[in-house]
């Protein structure tokens, strides 16, 4: 779905640009305009449209519009679309700049003769266009730096997050550049209407980001009730939230802020909703921030939570398909919420095989808990795979008890490497009637 959305926006902009080109009167045989100069100009327009259009989409999606969760398949897909729209928009900005710089090459090869005359503006508009050119140049160079450090995965997250806050300002500079320097006849055609709509959405997102009210309607405050460490690298945090908490569905996640300077991080809610506004998180030490939580968090400390978000929801399972649930490491958290929500509902249980993959099954803190939860749910068959015990899960083992030709559904939460290995193995086995559900929490 992410690729579909990005392709749709890019194709729509390309078609609108193409319609404008087709409607332009053909050059007369005696026209002094050289085709290469004309091609350069249209390449500048197209690359600029794609750049600002995709960046506008990224800026709007940064507002975390909950209404898009259903069509895109979850807030993680919304975020992934935001991420790739920004990267692609920045890439087209580089292309736009390269086309702009190509004028020196054309001057040295075909000469200045045959250049298209520039649109003449007077008075205030002329001054604003000069300013727009400067804004575009400054914005591009800053954007180039931010794009480079975003793609450089070794750049630390915390300073990246701080620098990323400048993106709304950079976007406004580039949007001003695009709006003022687009051909005037664009605004009377579909290409201008589409561009205006996208810029309006992007400006809306940029202003909300600068005002700091993104997600405000879904924010709740609370306090920490308990902090425990079931394992050396895992901290369990139980919180009670205020009355504004709307409740959550099993498998959803929230953006949690323990430290305002650190900002929000996505964590899956590991507990079922009991109606008492109490939720629990199981957090694995995967970075600088999460490694410090056990020593920083205290009972009674305030916490800010935004959400809930996500479509990794047990209510969305297809009961007509064979259910294969796969948890890898800390990816067990949504399934803990699923199993908790099923307790006492033995009459309406879905049949499922839950595969839990861990490094060492004998010393894993979740094995006993999963065993206890599944013991009360006879329709849920638990399979624990310990890597140190030589019990690694692969596609063949996952499908071992599934009859050939039966529709199956995989719900996966865990390391990306395990997901890729299982997907590749399933493809090789040629299992066609199978759906693979996976949420992505890559913040960069």
């Amino acid at each position: 779905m992410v690729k579909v959305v990005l392709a749709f926006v890019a194709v729509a902009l390309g078609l609108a640009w193409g319609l404008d080109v087709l409607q332009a009167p053909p050059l007369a045989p005696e026209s002094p305009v050289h085709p290469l100069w004309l091609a350069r100009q249209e390449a500048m327009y197209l690359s600029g449209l794609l750049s600002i259009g995709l960046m506008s989409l990224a800026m709007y999606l940064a507002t975390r519009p909950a209404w898009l969760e259903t069509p895109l398949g979850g807030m993680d897909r919304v975020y992934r679309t935001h991420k790739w729209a920004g990267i692609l928009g920045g890439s087209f900005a580089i292309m736009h700049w390269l086309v702009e710089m190509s004028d020196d090459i054309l001057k040295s090869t075909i000469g200045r003769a045959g250049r298209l005359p520039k649109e003449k503006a007077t008075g205030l508009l002329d001054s604003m266009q000069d300013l727009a050119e400067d804004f575009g140049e400054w914005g591009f160079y800053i954007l180039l730096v931010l794009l480079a450090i975003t793609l450089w995965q070794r750049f630390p997250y915390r300073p990246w997050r701080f620098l990323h806050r400048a993106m709304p300002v950079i976007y406004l500079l580039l949007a001003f550049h695009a709006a003022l320097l687009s051909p005037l006849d664009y605004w009377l055609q579909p290409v201008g209407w589409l561009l205006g709509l996208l810029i309006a959405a992007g400006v809306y997102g940029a202003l909300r980001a600068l005002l700091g009210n993104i997600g405000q309607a879904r924010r709740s405050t609370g306090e920490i009730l308990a902090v425990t460490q079931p394992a050396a690298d895992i901290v369990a945090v139980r919180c009670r939230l205020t009355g504004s908490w709307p409740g959550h569905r099993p498998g959803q996640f929230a953006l949690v802020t323990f430290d305002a300077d650190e900002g929000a991080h996505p964590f899956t809610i590991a507990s079922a909703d009991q109606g008492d506004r109490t939720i629990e998180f199981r957090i694995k030490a995967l970075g600088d921030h999460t490694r410090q939580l056990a020593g920083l968090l205290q009972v009674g400390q305030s916490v800010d939570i935004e959400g809930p978000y996500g479509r990794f929801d047990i209510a969305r399972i297809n009961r007509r398909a064979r259910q294969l649930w796969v948890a890898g490491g800390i990816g067990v958290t949504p399934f803990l919420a699923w199993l908790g929500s099923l307790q006492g509902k033995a009459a309406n249980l879905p049949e499922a095989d839950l595969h839990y993959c861990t490094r060492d099954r004998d010393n894993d803190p979740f094995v006993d808990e999963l065993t206890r939860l599944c013991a009360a749910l006879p329709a849920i068959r638990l399979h624990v795979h310990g890597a140190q015990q030589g019990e690694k899960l692969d596609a063949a083992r996952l499908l071992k008890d599934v009859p050939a030709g039966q529709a199956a559904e995989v719900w996966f939460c865990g390391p990306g490497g395990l997901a890729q290995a299982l997907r590749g193995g399933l493809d090789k086995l040629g299992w066609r009637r199978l759906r693979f559900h996976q949420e992505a929490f890559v913040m960069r």
Side-chain angles (χ1 to χ4, degrees), residues 51-64:
S51 176
I52 197 63
L54 288 166
M55 283 193 283
S56 297
L57 174 65
M59 194 55 60
Y60 175 72
L61 294 180
T63 64
R64 296 191 281 277

Side-chain angles (χ1 to χ4, degrees), residues 62 64 75 79 157-158 160-162 164-165 212 214-216 218-220 253-268 281 283 289-290 293 303-307 309 441-444:
R64 296 191 281 277
M75 189 55 68
Y79 176 77
Y157 173 79
R158 191 164 183 173
W160 170 84
R161 175 180 169 273
F162 176 78
H164 196 66
R165 291 179 179 177
I214 292 177
Q216 189 170 32
R218 300 174 73 93
R219 292 179 190 168
S220 299
F253 70 92
L255 297 170
V256 185
T257 303
F258 295 118
D259 180 357
D261 292 334
E262 179 65 30
H265 287 257
F267 297 122
T268 298
F281 301 98
I283 304 169
H289 174 62
T290 50
L293 286 180
V303 59
D304 293 323
I305 294 181
E306 179 190 331
Y309 294 113
F441 288 105
V442 180
M443 296 300 290
R444 291 176 59 182

Side-chain angles (χ1 to χ4, degrees), residues 356-436:
Y356 176 52
C357 304
T358 177
R359 288 193 183 94
D360 182 4
R361 63 175 299 166
D362 296 333
N363 296 294
D364 187 279
F366 294 114
V367 171
D368 289 343
E369 185 175 3
L370 288 170
T371 302
R372 175 178 56 80
L373 289 171
C374 290
L377 305 172
I380 311 297
R381 295 172 290 275
L382 176 63
H383 311 269
V384 180
H385 306 274
Q388 292 186 11
Q389 286 77 29
E391 301 166 339
K392 290 186 177 181
L393 178 66
D394 57 22
R397 186 172 297 185
L398 180 65
L399 297 175
K400 181 171 65 72
D401 298 322
V402 182
Q406 181 179 359
E409 194 173 51
V410 177
W411 289 81
F412 178 92
C413 188
L418 176 59
Q420 291 179 2
L422 289 176
R423 283 179 180 270
L426 292 170
D427 289 340
K428 289 181 180 178
L429 291 175
W431 204 276
R432 296 182 179 180
R433 300 184 63 193
L434 184 143
R435 295 188 64 190
F436 199 106

Side-chain angles (χ1 to χ4, degrees), residues 277-355:
R277 301 193 301 276
T278 299
I279 61 176
E280 184 173 351
F281 301 98
R282 308 288 181 88
I283 304 169
K284 187 176 179 62
L286 297 174
D288 293 340
H289 174 62
T290 50
R291 276 194 288 267
Q292 297 171 0
L293 286 180
L296 295 177
L297 301 183
Q298 298 178 355
V299 173
Q301 180 177 330
S302 63
V303 59
D304 293 323
I305 294 181
E306 179 190 331
Y309 294 113
R311 300 275 292 167
F312 201 90
D313 184 355
I314 192 173
R316 296 181 61 229
I317 67 172
N318 180 4
R319 290 177 176 263
R320 291 175 295 181
R322 183 67 174 262
Q323 291 298 307
L324 303 171
W325 303 347
V326 181
I330 199 61
V332 73
T333 49
F335 297 106
L336 292 176
W338 283 21
L339 296 174
S341 70
L342 294 174
Q343 299 298 306
K345 302 177 182 178
N348 193 32
L349 285 180
E351 289 196 10
D353 289 278
L354 172 56
H355 295 265

Side-chain angles (χ1 to χ4, degrees), residues 92-206:
F92 280 116
I94 296 173
M95 186 183 300
H96 182 73
W97 178 80
L98 291 173
V99 174
E100 168 69 24
M101 294 296 102
S102 69
D103 62 342
D104 290 334
I105 298 176
L106 291 180
K107 289 175 187 176
S108 64
T109 54
I110 63 175
R112 294 176 178 271
R115 297 187 68 171
L116 283 86
K118 290 185 177 181
E119 289 186 339
K120 294 184 178 180
T122 58
L124 179 60
L125 181 58
D126 182 51
S127 300
M128 293 180 67
Q129 286 183 337
D130 289 339
L131 186 60
E133 287 188 5
D134 292 336
F135 280 1
E137 185 175 1
W138 301 336
F140 168 74
Y141 292 132
I142 302 173
L143 176 68
L144 191 61
V145 173
L146 289 180
L147 181 62
I149 65 174
T150 296
L151 296 174
W152 182 27
Q153 293 295 312
R154 293 189 178 183
F155 191 84
Y157 173 79
R158 191 164 183 173
W160 170 84
R161 175 180 169 273
F162 176 78
L163 293 172
H164 196 66
R165 291 179 179 177
M167 191 57 74
V169 176
I170 297 170
Y171 170 79
L172 291 175
L173 294 176
L174 296 174
F176 183 76
H177 171 88
L180 267 293
L181 296 180
S182 294
L184 294 179
D185 65 342
Y186 269 18
W187 306 108
L188 301 176
Q189 301 179 57
V191 62
W193 307 337
L194 180 57
L195 176 61
L197 177 65
L198 287 168
I199 288 179
V203 169
Y204 165 79

